[in-house]
Amino acid sequence: TKLQNSKKKARKLLIDFADIDTEETRLRSVLGNYANFNLKIYFEQFCKEYGFSAVPNWDTTTTAINPQIDEIALSATFKELTTESLVRMLQGFDKTEIVYVKNLRVKNEKDKKISCEITLATVKTKMG
C-alpha cells in the first residue's frame, strides 16, 4: 500500500540522514586534526621520502567548494615510472586521509616506462 511504501521511504531517509550526519562529523574531525595542513609541503616531503621527482613548475590552486570550504589542488607530472613505482606512489598518497587523488592520467613511454599526470587535492575550512 501507499502507506507502507511511505513508511519504507521515510525509514530509508532517516538511515541515510544518520549516515550523512556521521560522515559529516568524521570529516569535521579530520579537518580539525589537519587544520595546519599544507599540500605543497606535504608533496615535497612525500617526494623526498619516497624518492620521486616531479617535473618542475608544479604548484597549488585553490577553488571555493562552498562558502565554508576550499579545495586546494596540486597537479604534477612524473616521467619514466614503472607500474610498480606508480602503485607505490598511489599507496603512499592513500596513507594520508586528508589527501585524495582527484585526477590521474597515465601514458605509455618507451622501454616499458610510463608517465603520469596526477592531481592531488585536499579541503580546508575557511576561517571567518
Side-chain angles (χ1 to χ4, degrees), residues 21-41:
D21 193 49
T22 300
E23 182 63 10
E24 182 180 359
T25 301
R26 186 191 73 77
L27 287 174
R28 287 188 189 282
S29 174
V30 168
L31 289 173
N33 292 340
Y34 288 93
N36 296 318
F37 182 79
N38 182 305
L39 186 59
K40 190 182 272 192
I41 292 170

mmCIF file with all atom_site columns, all heavy atoms in Angstrom, residues 21-41:
data_model
loop_
_atom_site.group_PDB
_atom_site.id
_atom_site.type_symbol
_atom_site.label_atom_id
_atom_site.label_alt_id
_atom_site.label_comp_id
_atom_site.label_asym_id
_atom_site.label_entity_id
_atom_site.label_seq_id
_atom_site.pdbx_PDB_ins_code
_atom_site.Cartn_x
_atom_site.Cartn_y
_atom_site.Cartn_z
_atom_site.occupancy
_atom_site.B_iso_or_equiv
_atom_site.pdbx_formal_charge
_atom_site.auth_seq_id
_atom_site.auth_comp_id
_atom_site.auth_asym_id
_atom_site.auth_atom_id
_atom_site.pdbx_PDB_model_num
ATOM 1   N N   . ASP A 1 21 ? 25.090 12.375 8.549  1.00 0.00 ? 21 ASP A N   1
ATOM 2   C CA  . ASP A 1 21 ? 25.459 13.090 9.772  1.00 0.00 ? 21 ASP A CA  1
ATOM 3   C C   . ASP A 1 21 ? 26.741 12.506 10.377 1.00 0.00 ? 21 ASP A C   1
ATOM 4   O O   . ASP A 1 21 ? 27.629 13.244 10.797 1.00 0.00 ? 21 ASP A O   1
ATOM 5   C CB  . ASP A 1 21 ? 24.303 13.024 10.774 1.00 0.00 ? 21 ASP A CB  1
ATOM 6   C CG  . ASP A 1 21 ? 24.486 13.984 11.928 1.00 0.00 ? 21 ASP A CG  1
ATOM 7   O OD1 . ASP A 1 21 ? 24.778 15.163 11.680 1.00 0.00 ? 21 ASP A OD1 1
ATOM 8   O OD2 . ASP A 1 21 ? 24.329 13.536 13.086 1.00 0.00 ? 21 ASP A OD2 1
ATOM 9   N N   . THR A 1 22 ? 26.854 11.186 10.379 1.00 0.00 ? 22 THR A N   1
ATOM 10  C CA  . THR A 1 22 ? 28.057 10.521 10.891 1.00 0.00 ? 22 THR A CA  1
ATOM 11  C C   . THR A 1 22 ? 29.270 10.885 10.049 1.00 0.00 ? 22 THR A C   1
ATOM 12  O O   . THR A 1 22 ? 30.340 11.189 10.581 1.00 0.00 ? 22 THR A O   1
ATOM 13  C CB  . THR A 1 22 ? 27.855 8.987  10.905 1.00 0.00 ? 22 THR A CB  1
ATOM 14  O OG1 . THR A 1 22 ? 26.752 8.683  11.732 1.00 0.00 ? 22 THR A OG1 1
ATOM 15  C CG2 . THR A 1 22 ? 29.086 8.259  11.392 1.00 0.00 ? 22 THR A CG2 1
ATOM 16  N N   . GLU A 1 23 ? 29.118 10.882 8.738  1.00 0.00 ? 23 GLU A N   1
ATOM 17  C CA  . GLU A 1 23 ? 30.226 11.224 7.840  1.00 0.00 ? 23 GLU A CA  1
ATOM 18  C C   . GLU A 1 23 ? 30.629 12.689 8.009  1.00 0.00 ? 23 GLU A C   1
ATOM 19  O O   . GLU A 1 23 ? 31.811 13.023 8.009  1.00 0.00 ? 23 GLU A O   1
ATOM 20  C CB  . GLU A 1 23 ? 29.843 10.932 6.386  1.00 0.00 ? 23 GLU A CB  1
ATOM 21  C CG  . GLU A 1 23 ? 30.939 11.199 5.386  1.00 0.00 ? 23 GLU A CG  1
ATOM 22  C CD  . GLU A 1 23 ? 32.186 10.350 5.554  1.00 0.00 ? 23 GLU A CD  1
ATOM 23  O OE1 . GLU A 1 23 ? 32.193 9.390  6.342  1.00 0.00 ? 23 GLU A OE1 1
ATOM 24  O OE2 . GLU A 1 23 ? 33.195 10.660 4.894  1.00 0.00 ? 23 GLU A OE2 1
ATOM 25  N N   . GLU A 1 24 ? 29.652 13.575 8.169  1.00 0.00 ? 24 GLU A N   1
ATOM 26  C CA  . GLU A 1 24 ? 29.971 14.985 8.379  1.00 0.00 ? 24 GLU A CA  1
ATOM 27  C C   . GLU A 1 24 ? 30.763 15.176 9.673  1.00 0.00 ? 24 GLU A C   1
ATOM 28  O O   . GLU A 1 24 ? 31.741 15.924 9.710  1.00 0.00 ? 24 GLU A O   1
ATOM 29  C CB  . GLU A 1 24 ? 28.694 15.827 8.430  1.00 0.00 ? 24 GLU A CB  1
ATOM 30  C CG  . GLU A 1 24 ? 28.971 17.304 8.597  1.00 0.00 ? 24 GLU A CG  1
ATOM 31  C CD  . GLU A 1 24 ? 27.716 18.159 8.650  1.00 0.00 ? 24 GLU A CD  1
ATOM 32  O OE1 . GLU A 1 24 ? 26.598 17.618 8.532  1.00 0.00 ? 24 GLU A OE1 1
ATOM 33  O OE2 . GLU A 1 24 ? 27.873 19.377 8.819  1.00 0.00 ? 24 GLU A OE2 1
ATOM 34  N N   . THR A 1 25 ? 30.382 14.467 10.713 1.00 0.00 ? 25 THR A N   1
ATOM 35  C CA  . THR A 1 25 ? 31.100 14.538 11.991 1.00 0.00 ? 25 THR A CA  1
ATOM 36  C C   . THR A 1 25 ? 32.533 14.039 11.823 1.00 0.00 ? 25 THR A C   1
ATOM 37  O O   . THR A 1 25 ? 33.487 14.653 12.302 1.00 0.00 ? 25 THR A O   1
ATOM 38  C CB  . THR A 1 25 ? 30.365 13.719 13.074 1.00 0.00 ? 25 THR A CB  1
ATOM 39  O OG1 . THR A 1 25 ? 29.053 14.246 13.219 1.00 0.00 ? 25 THR A OG1 1
ATOM 40  C CG2 . THR A 1 25 ? 31.087 13.755 14.394 1.00 0.00 ? 25 THR A CG2 1
ATOM 41  N N   . ARG A 1 26 ? 32.703 12.941 11.086 1.00 0.00 ? 26 ARG A N   1
ATOM 42  C CA  . ARG A 1 26 ? 34.035 12.386 10.835 1.00 0.00 ? 26 ARG A CA  1
ATOM 43  C C   . ARG A 1 26 ? 34.881 13.380 10.043 1.00 0.00 ? 26 ARG A C   1
ATOM 44  O O   . ARG A 1 26 ? 36.044 13.630 10.372 1.00 0.00 ? 26 ARG A O   1
ATOM 45  C CB  . ARG A 1 26 ? 33.941 11.061 10.078 1.00 0.00 ? 26 ARG A CB  1
ATOM 46  C CG  . ARG A 1 26 ? 35.296 10.351 9.920  1.00 0.00 ? 26 ARG A CG  1
ATOM 47  C CD  . ARG A 1 26 ? 35.230 9.192  8.950  1.00 0.00 ? 26 ARG A CD  1
ATOM 48  N NE  . ARG A 1 26 ? 35.126 9.619  7.573  1.00 0.00 ? 26 ARG A NE  1
ATOM 49  C CZ  . ARG A 1 26 ? 36.136 10.091 6.840  1.00 0.00 ? 26 ARG A CZ  1
ATOM 50  N NH1 . ARG A 1 26 ? 37.339 10.207 7.349  1.00 0.00 ? 26 ARG A NH1 1
ATOM 51  N NH2 . ARG A 1 26 ? 35.957 10.454 5.582  1.00 0.00 ? 26 ARG A NH2 1
ATOM 52  N N   . LEU A 1 27 ? 34.299 13.979 9.010  1.00 0.00 ? 27 LEU A N   1
ATOM 53  C CA  . LEU A 1 27 ? 35.042 14.939 8.188  1.00 0.00 ? 27 LEU A CA  1
ATOM 54  C C   . LEU A 1 27 ? 35.441 16.178 8.987  1.00 0.00 ? 27 LEU A C   1
ATOM 55  O O   . LEU A 1 27 ? 36.550 16.680 8.842  1.00 0.00 ? 27 LEU A O   1
ATOM 56  C CB  . LEU A 1 27 ? 34.218 15.341 6.967  1.00 0.00 ? 27 LEU A CB  1
ATOM 57  C CG  . LEU A 1 27 ? 34.088 14.277 5.884  1.00 0.00 ? 27 LEU A CG  1
ATOM 58  C CD1 . LEU A 1 27 ? 33.128 14.728 4.795  1.00 0.00 ? 27 LEU A CD1 1
ATOM 59  C CD2 . LEU A 1 27 ? 35.441 13.932 5.294  1.00 0.00 ? 27 LEU A CD2 1
ATOM 60  N N   . ARG A 1 28 ? 34.555 16.664 9.830  1.00 0.00 ? 28 ARG A N   1
ATOM 61  C CA  . ARG A 1 28 ? 34.909 17.818 10.678 1.00 0.00 ? 28 ARG A CA  1
ATOM 62  C C   . ARG A 1 28 ? 36.076 17.472 11.598 1.00 0.00 ? 28 ARG A C   1
ATOM 63  O O   . ARG A 1 28 ? 36.974 18.285 11.811 1.00 0.00 ? 28 ARG A O   1
ATOM 64  C CB  . ARG A 1 28 ? 33.700 18.275 11.492 1.00 0.00 ? 28 ARG A CB  1
ATOM 65  C CG  . ARG A 1 28 ? 32.657 18.988 10.669 1.00 0.00 ? 28 ARG A CG  1
ATOM 66  C CD  . ARG A 1 28 ? 31.567 19.587 11.557 1.00 0.00 ? 28 ARG A CD  1
ATOM 67  N NE  . ARG A 1 28 ? 30.466 20.075 10.778 1.00 0.00 ? 28 ARG A NE  1
ATOM 68  C CZ  . ARG A 1 28 ? 30.450 21.224 10.116 1.00 0.00 ? 28 ARG A CZ  1
ATOM 69  N NH1 . ARG A 1 28 ? 31.509 21.990 10.137 1.00 0.00 ? 28 ARG A NH1 1
ATOM 70  N NH2 . ARG A 1 28 ? 29.395 21.603 9.434  1.00 0.00 ? 28 ARG A NH2 1
ATOM 71  N N   . SER A 1 29 ? 36.071 16.255 12.112 1.00 0.00 ? 29 SER A N   1
ATOM 72  C CA  . SER A 1 29 ? 37.165 15.815 12.973 1.00 0.00 ? 29 SER A CA  1
ATOM 73  C C   . SER A 1 29 ? 38.476 15.754 12.187 1.00 0.00 ? 29 SER A C   1
ATOM 74  O O   . SER A 1 29 ? 39.516 16.225 12.653 1.00 0.00 ? 29 SER A O   1
ATOM 75  C CB  . SER A 1 29 ? 36.837 14.444 13.571 1.00 0.00 ? 29 SER A CB  1
ATOM 76  O OG  . SER A 1 29 ? 37.929 13.938 14.283 1.00 0.00 ? 29 SER A OG  1
ATOM 77  N N   . VAL A 1 30 ? 38.434 15.167 10.996 1.00 0.00 ? 30 VAL A N   1
ATOM 78  C CA  . VAL A 1 30 ? 39.630 15.076 10.153 1.00 0.00 ? 30 VAL A CA  1
ATOM 79  C C   . VAL A 1 30 ? 40.146 16.476 9.823  1.00 0.00 ? 30 VAL A C   1
ATOM 80  O O   . VAL A 1 30 ? 41.343 16.753 9.947  1.00 0.00 ? 30 VAL A O   1
ATOM 81  C CB  . VAL A 1 30 ? 39.334 14.281 8.857  1.00 0.00 ? 30 VAL A CB  1
ATOM 82  C CG1 . VAL A 1 30 ? 40.470 14.429 7.841  1.00 0.00 ? 30 VAL A CG1 1
ATOM 83  C CG2 . VAL A 1 30 ? 39.118 12.809 9.169  1.00 0.00 ? 30 VAL A CG2 1
ATOM 84  N N   . LEU A 1 31 ? 39.243 17.366 9.416  1.00 0.00 ? 31 LEU A N   1
ATOM 85  C CA  . LEU A 1 31 ? 39.665 18.733 9.084  1.00 0.00 ? 31 LEU A CA  1
ATOM 86  C C   . LEU A 1 31 ? 40.259 19.433 10.295 1.00 0.00 ? 31 LEU A C   1
ATOM 87  O O   . LEU A 1 31 ? 41.235 20.174 10.175 1.00 0.00 ? 31 LEU A O   1
ATOM 88  C CB  . LEU A 1 31 ? 38.491 19.531 8.520  1.00 0.00 ? 31 LEU A CB  1
ATOM 89  C CG  . LEU A 1 31 ? 38.039 19.132 7.122  1.00 0.00 ? 31 LEU A CG  1
ATOM 90  C CD1 . LEU A 1 31 ? 36.761 19.873 6.735  1.00 0.00 ? 31 LEU A CD1 1
ATOM 91  C CD2 . LEU A 1 31 ? 39.114 19.372 6.091  1.00 0.00 ? 31 LEU A CD2 1
ATOM 92  N N   . GLY A 1 32 ? 39.697 19.174 11.467 1.00 0.00 ? 32 GLY A N   1
ATOM 93  C CA  . GLY A 1 32 ? 40.255 19.761 12.688 1.00 0.00 ? 32 GLY A CA  1
ATOM 94  C C   . GLY A 1 32 ? 41.643 19.229 12.984 1.00 0.00 ? 32 GLY A C   1
ATOM 95  O O   . GLY A 1 32 ? 42.539 19.979 13.385 1.00 0.00 ? 32 GLY A O   1
ATOM 96  N N   . ASN A 1 33 ? 41.848 17.929 12.762 1.00 0.00 ? 33 ASN A N   1
ATOM 97  C CA  . ASN A 1 33 ? 43.156 17.319 13.012 1.00 0.00 ? 33 ASN A CA  1
ATOM 98  C C   . ASN A 1 33 ? 44.220 17.820 12.048 1.00 0.00 ? 33 ASN A C   1
ATOM 99  O O   . ASN A 1 33 ? 45.409 17.772 12.347 1.00 0.00 ? 33 ASN A O   1
ATOM 100 C CB  . ASN A 1 33 ? 43.065 15.791 12.900 1.00 0.00 ? 33 ASN A CB  1
ATOM 101 C CG  . ASN A 1 33 ? 42.247 15.174 14.001 1.00 0.00 ? 33 ASN A CG  1
ATOM 102 O OD1 . ASN A 1 33 ? 42.033 15.783 15.047 1.00 0.00 ? 33 ASN A OD1 1
ATOM 103 N ND2 . ASN A 1 33 ? 41.758 13.967 13.769 1.00 0.00 ? 33 ASN A ND2 1
ATOM 104 N N   . TYR A 1 34 ? 43.805 18.269 10.873 1.00 0.00 ? 34 TYR A N   1
ATOM 105 C CA  . TYR A 1 34 ? 44.744 18.725 9.844  1.00 0.00 ? 34 TYR A CA  1
ATOM 106 C C   . TYR A 1 34 ? 44.581 20.229 9.568  1.00 0.00 ? 34 TYR A C   1
ATOM 107 O O   . TYR A 1 34 ? 44.790 20.683 8.442  1.00 0.00 ? 34 TYR A O   1
ATOM 108 C CB  . TYR A 1 34 ? 44.529 17.945 8.542  1.00 0.00 ? 34 TYR A CB  1
ATOM 109 C CG  . TYR A 1 34 ? 44.992 16.516 8.606  1.00 0.00 ? 34 TYR A CG  1
ATOM 110 C CD1 . TYR A 1 34 ? 44.122 15.495 8.954  1.00 0.00 ? 34 TYR A CD1 1
ATOM 111 C CD2 . TYR A 1 34 ? 46.303 16.186 8.301  1.00 0.00 ? 34 TYR A CD2 1
ATOM 112 C CE1 . TYR A 1 34 ? 44.541 14.174 8.999  1.00 0.00 ? 34 TYR A CE1 1
ATOM 113 C CE2 . TYR A 1 34 ? 46.734 14.870 8.345  1.00 0.00 ? 34 TYR A CE2 1
ATOM 114 C CZ  . TYR A 1 34 ? 45.850 13.874 8.695  1.00 0.00 ? 34 TYR A CZ  1
ATOM 115 O OH  . TYR A 1 34 ? 46.267 12.569 8.728  1.00 0.00 ? 34 TYR A OH  1
ATOM 116 N N   . ALA A 1 35 ? 44.213 20.996 10.579 1.00 0.00 ? 35 ALA A N   1
ATOM 117 C CA  . ALA A 1 35 ? 43.936 22.424 10.394 1.00 0.00 ? 35 ALA A CA  1
ATOM 118 C C   . ALA A 1 35 ? 45.118 23.169 9.778  1.00 0.00 ? 35 ALA A C   1
ATOM 119 O O   . ALA A 1 35 ? 44.934 24.109 9.013  1.00 0.00 ? 35 ALA A O   1
ATOM 120 C CB  . ALA A 1 35 ? 43.538 23.060 11.722 1.00 0.00 ? 35 ALA A CB  1
ATOM 121 N N   . ASN A 1 36 ? 46.341 22.767 10.087 1.00 0.00 ? 36 ASN A N   1
ATOM 122 C CA  . ASN A 1 36 ? 47.530 23.458 9.569  1.00 0.00 ? 36 ASN A CA  1
ATOM 123 C C   . ASN A 1 36 ? 48.177 22.715 8.395  1.00 0.00 ? 36 ASN A C   1
ATOM 124 O O   . ASN A 1 36 ? 49.324 22.974 8.055  1.00 0.00 ? 36 ASN A O   1
ATOM 125 C CB  . ASN A 1 36 ? 48.554 23.653 10.688 1.00 0.00 ? 36 ASN A CB  1
ATOM 126 C CG  . ASN A 1 36 ? 48.004 24.553 11.773 1.00 0.00 ? 36 ASN A CG  1
ATOM 127 O OD1 . ASN A 1 36 ? 47.371 25.557 11.490 1.00 0.00 ? 36 ASN A OD1 1
ATOM 128 N ND2 . ASN A 1 36 ? 48.220 24.167 13.020 1.00 0.00 ? 36 ASN A ND2 1
ATOM 129 N N   . PHE A 1 37 ? 47.450 21.801 7.778  1.00 0.00 ? 37 PHE A N   1
ATOM 130 C CA  . PHE A 1 37 ? 47.983 21.000 6.685  1.00 0.00 ? 37 PHE A CA  1
ATOM 131 C C   . PHE A 1 37 ? 48.287 21.879 5.478  1.00 0.00 ? 37 PHE A C   1
ATOM 132 O O   . PHE A 1 37 ? 47.487 22.735 5.087  1.00 0.00 ? 37 PHE A O   1
ATOM 133 C CB  . PHE A 1 37 ? 46.977 19.915 6.293  1.00 0.00 ? 37 PHE A CB  1
ATOM 134 C CG  . PHE A 1 37 ? 47.457 19.008 5.203  1.00 0.00 ? 37 PHE A CG  1
ATOM 135 C CD1 . PHE A 1 37 ? 48.337 17.977 5.492  1.00 0.00 ? 37 PHE A CD1 1
ATOM 136 C CD2 . PHE A 1 37 ? 47.042 19.184 3.901  1.00 0.00 ? 37 PHE A CD2 1
ATOM 137 C CE1 . PHE A 1 37 ? 48.789 17.126 4.494  1.00 0.00 ? 37 PHE A CE1 1
ATOM 138 C CE2 . PHE A 1 37 ? 47.488 18.340 2.893  1.00 0.00 ? 37 PHE A CE2 1
ATOM 139 C CZ  . PHE A 1 37 ? 48.362 17.317 3.194  1.00 0.00 ? 37 PHE A CZ  1
ATOM 140 N N   . ASN A 1 38 ? 49.462 21.674 4.883  1.00 0.00 ? 38 ASN A N   1
ATOM 141 C CA  . ASN A 1 38 ? 49.884 22.416 3.699  1.00 0.00 ? 38 ASN A CA  1
ATOM 142 C C   . ASN A 1 38 ? 50.213 21.396 2.607  1.00 0.00 ? 38 ASN A C   1
ATOM 143 O O   . ASN A 1 38 ? 51.163 20.627 2.736  1.00 0.00 ? 38 ASN A O   1
ATOM 144 C CB  . ASN A 1 38 ? 51.105 23.278 4.036  1.00 0.00 ? 38 ASN A CB  1
ATOM 145 C CG  . ASN A 1 38 ? 51.563 24.108 2.868  1.00 0.00 ? 38 ASN A CG  1
ATOM 146 O OD1 . ASN A 1 38 ? 51.828 23.603 1.786  1.00 0.00 ? 38 ASN A OD1 1
ATOM 147 N ND2 . ASN A 1 38 ? 51.652 25.412 3.089  1.00 0.00 ? 38 ASN A ND2 1
ATOM 148 N N   . LEU A 1 39 ? 49.419 21.387 1.543  1.00 0.00 ? 39 LEU A N   1
ATOM 149 C CA  . LEU A 1 39 ? 49.575 20.388 0.484  1.00 0.00 ? 39 LEU A CA  1
ATOM 150 C C   . LEU A 1 39 ? 50.927 20.492 -0.207 1.00 0.00 ? 39 LEU A C   1
ATOM 151 O O   . LEU A 1 39 ? 51.537 19.479 -0.535 1.00 0.00 ? 39 LEU A O   1
ATOM 152 C CB  . LEU A 1 39 ? 48.434 20.521 -0.535 1.00 0.00 ? 39 LEU A CB  1
ATOM 153 C CG  . LEU A 1 39 ? 48.368 19.457 -1.630 1.00 0.00 ? 39 LEU A CG  1
ATOM 154 C CD1 . LEU A 1 39 ? 48.230 18.053 -1.030 1.00 0.00 ? 39 LEU A CD1 1
ATOM 155 C CD2 . LEU A 1 39 ? 47.213 19.740 -2.576 1.00 0.00 ? 39 LEU A CD2 1
ATOM 156 N N   . LYS A 1 40 ? 51.413 21.693 -0.408 1.00 0.00 ? 40 LYS A N   1
ATOM 157 C CA  . LYS A 1 40 ? 52.693 21.883 -1.087 1.00 0.00 ? 40 LYS A CA  1
ATOM 158 C C   . LYS A 1 40 ? 53.840 21.277 -0.258 1.00 0.00 ? 40 LYS A C   1
ATOM 159 O O   . LYS A 1 40 ? 54.681 20.541 -0.779 1.00 0.00 ? 40 LYS A O   1
ATOM 160 C CB  . LYS A 1 40 ? 52.954 23.376 -1.328 1.00 0.00 ? 40 LYS A CB  1
ATOM 161 C CG  . LYS A 1 40 ? 54.135 23.652 -2.229 1.00 0.00 ? 40 LYS A CG  1
ATOM 162 C CD  . LYS A 1 40 ? 54.376 25.148 -2.386 1.00 0.00 ? 40 LYS A CD  1
ATOM 163 C CE  . LYS A 1 40 ? 53.572 25.676 -3.531 1.00 0.00 ? 40 LYS A CE  1
ATOM 164 N NZ  . LYS A 1 40 ? 53.972 27.052 -3.910 1.00 0.00 ? 40 LYS A NZ  1
ATOM 165 N N   . ILE A 1 41 ? 53.858 21.557 1.036  1.00 0.00 ? 41 ILE A N   1
ATOM 166 C CA  . ILE A 1 41 ? 54.890 20.995 1.923  1.00 0.00 ? 41 ILE A CA  1
ATOM 167 C C   . ILE A 1 41 ? 54.759 19.473 1.992  1.00 0.00 ? 41 ILE A C   1
ATOM 168 O O   . ILE A 1 41 ? 55.750 18.747 1.920  1.00 0.00 ? 41 ILE A O   1
ATOM 169 C CB  . ILE A 1 41 ? 54.806 21.630 3.325  1.00 0.00 ? 41 ILE A CB  1
ATOM 170 C CG1 . ILE A 1 41 ? 55.217 23.100 3.241  1.00 0.00 ? 41 ILE A CG1 1
ATOM 171 C CG2 . ILE A 1 41 ? 55.678 20.882 4.332  1.00 0.00 ? 41 ILE A CG2 1
ATOM 172 C CD1 . ILE A 1 41 ? 54.952 23.891 4.511  1.00 0.00 ? 41 ILE A CD1 1
#
